[in-house]
């Protein structure tokens, strides 16, 4: 599986300069020789393949994308949030869930079961705190 994903990971790195040109706007990117619609389509294809390969290897991991940015925002203490901080918090959340799933429970479970349980609990806490905050 990793051998199948490796060319797409290299393609993702190869797309970075063209994606940076698109950040300047479609007109500027086209003026510099980049075809924005083609680059977007390729980036989408590469992203889908890499996510599919990751999911095939690790299994479905739910709620990490929901919880990680919220936890990172609370840790940072500011309304603005960096992508790097969210990524680090997401990685640590997944690592902690994997440690719990593999070593702290009496029966080893897939990491997805732990992330769904923790993420669902976190979602309920967020909803309850929002309701209390409004009342």
């Amino acid at each position: 599986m990793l051998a199948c994903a490796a060319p797409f990971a290299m393609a993702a790195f190869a797309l970075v300069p063209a994606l940076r040109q698109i950040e300047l706007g479609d007109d500027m990117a086209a003026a510099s020789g980049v075809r924005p619609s083609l680059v977007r389509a390729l980036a989408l294809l590469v992203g889908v393949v890499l996510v599919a390969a990751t999911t095939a290897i690790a299994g479905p991991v739910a709620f990490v994308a929901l919880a990680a940015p919220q936890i990172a925002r609370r840790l940072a203490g500011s309304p603005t949030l960096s992508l790097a901080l969210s990524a680090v918090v997401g990685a640590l959340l997944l690592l902690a869930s994997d440690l719990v799933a593999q070593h702290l429970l009496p029966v080893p479970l897939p990491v997805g079961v732990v992330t769904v349980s923790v993420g669902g609990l976190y979602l309920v806490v967020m909803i309850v705190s929002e309701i209390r905050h409004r009342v």
Side-chain angles (χ1 to χ4, degrees):
M1 184 58 66
L2 289 176
C4 295
F8 288 95
M10 288 185 280
F13 285 111
L15 285 171
V16 168
L19 289 169
R20 295 239 169 122
Q21 290 293 322
I22 292 175
E23 286 178 355
L24 300 173
D26 286 358
D27 293 335
M28 290 292 289
S32 65
V34 174
R35 293 173 38 193
S37 59
L38 177 63
V39 172
R40 282 191 186 101
L42 289 173
L44 180 66
L45 174 70
V46 167
V48 166
V49 169
L50 290 175
V51 168
T54 303
T55 304
I57 292 169
V61 180
F63 287 106
V64 173
L66 171 73
Q70 301 300 324
I71 294 170
R73 180 173 291 134
R74 290 175 193 235
L75 288 175
S78 70
T80 60
L81 183 65
S82 73
L83 182 61
L85 182 59
S86 291
V88 168
V89 170
L92 291 174
L93 185 62
L94 191 57
L95 178 65
S97 297
D98 190 46
L99 286 172
V100 168
Q102 299 300 319
H103 300 292
L104 297 180
L105 296 175
V107 177
L109 293 173
V111 69
V113 173
V114 176
T115 58
V116 164
S117 301
V118 171
L121 180 64
Y122 181 73
L123 182 62
V124 168
V125 168
M126 281 180 50
I127 290 171
V128 168
S129 68
E130 183 67 25
I131 290 171
R132 286 185 180 171
H133 190 270
R134 287 186 182 186
V135 173

